[in-house]
């Protein structure tokens, strides 16, 4: 398990995709989007990124910089504020009323069905 002082980098959110431009696989990390690693195989790209990430996190800790918490371990309240225009607010409220739902229930349903 790769750890840099009490930060478990195996808990970060990784993605490995093919880069047609580079003709290699590129590994990225959502929590530290400025980092990436290119390699001939998916496995090597992920391995390289994890090694780089361990070094970067160690440097951040050494310099007393904040280290991002993995998305998987963050607490979410289930609430967020969203500003929308008056026209869209009116339209959504009307659609919710037509379905006999609160605006909140209607928007949650729409978001759930969109993903």
């Amino acid at each position: 398990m790769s750890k840099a002082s009490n930060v478990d980098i195996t808990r970060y959110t990784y993605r490995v995709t093919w880069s047609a431009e580079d003709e290699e696989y590129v590994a990225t990390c959502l929590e530290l989007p400025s980092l990436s690693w290119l390699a001939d195989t998916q496995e090597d790209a992920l391995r390289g990124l994890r090694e780089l990430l361990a070094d970067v996190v160690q440097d951040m800790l050494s310099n007393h910089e904040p280290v991002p918490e993995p998305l998987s371990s963050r607490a979410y309240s289930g609430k967020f504020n969203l500003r929308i225009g008056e026209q869209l607010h009116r339209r959504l409220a009307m659609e919710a009323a037509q379905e006999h739902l609160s605006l909140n229930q209607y928007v949650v349903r729409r978001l759930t069905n969109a993903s």
Side-chain angles (χ1 to χ4, degrees):
M1 189 177 306
S2 300
K3 288 190 179 187
S5 239
N6 296 322
V7 176
D8 186 352
I9 65 165
T10 65
R11 303 290 184 231
Y12 282 129
T13 310
Y14 297 97
R15 171 180 270 169
V16 180
T17 56
W18 175 253
S19 171
E21 180 181 332
D22 298 305
E23 295 187 357
E24 289 184 290
Y25 289 95
V26 60
T28 56
C29 176
L30 284 179
E31 291 83 353
L32 291 155
S34 63
L35 301 179
S36 64
W37 192 270
L38 290 165
D40 290 334
T41 67
Q42 292 175 330
E43 294 79 11
D44 288 344
L46 182 57
R47 186 178 307 107
L49 180 62
R50 281 186 166 167
E51 291 171 6
L52 173 63
L53 199 56
D55 291 341
V56 168
V57 167
Q58 188 58 52
D59 285 346
M60 293 173 84
L61 291 169
S62 297
N63 292 313
H64 306 290
E65 296 176 32
V67 177
E69 183 180 354
L71 290 170
S72 61
S73 62
R74 293 181 189 174
Y76 295 92
S77 68
K79 297 178 186 179
F80 68 94
N81 291 323
L82 177 65
R83 296 194 184 282
I84 58 176
E86 291 176 20
Q87 299 275 357
L88 179 56
H89 192 167
R90 179 178 294 108
R91 190 183 90 211
L92 291 171
M94 292 173 68
E95 290 172 5
Q98 286 175 332
E99 295 197 26
H100 307 288
L101 296 171
S102 70
L103 180 55
N104 186 72
Q105 290 171 322
Y106 180 73
V107 171
V108 168
R109 180 182 286 177
R110 293 281 305 265
L111 288 171
T112 301
N113 290 338
S115 52

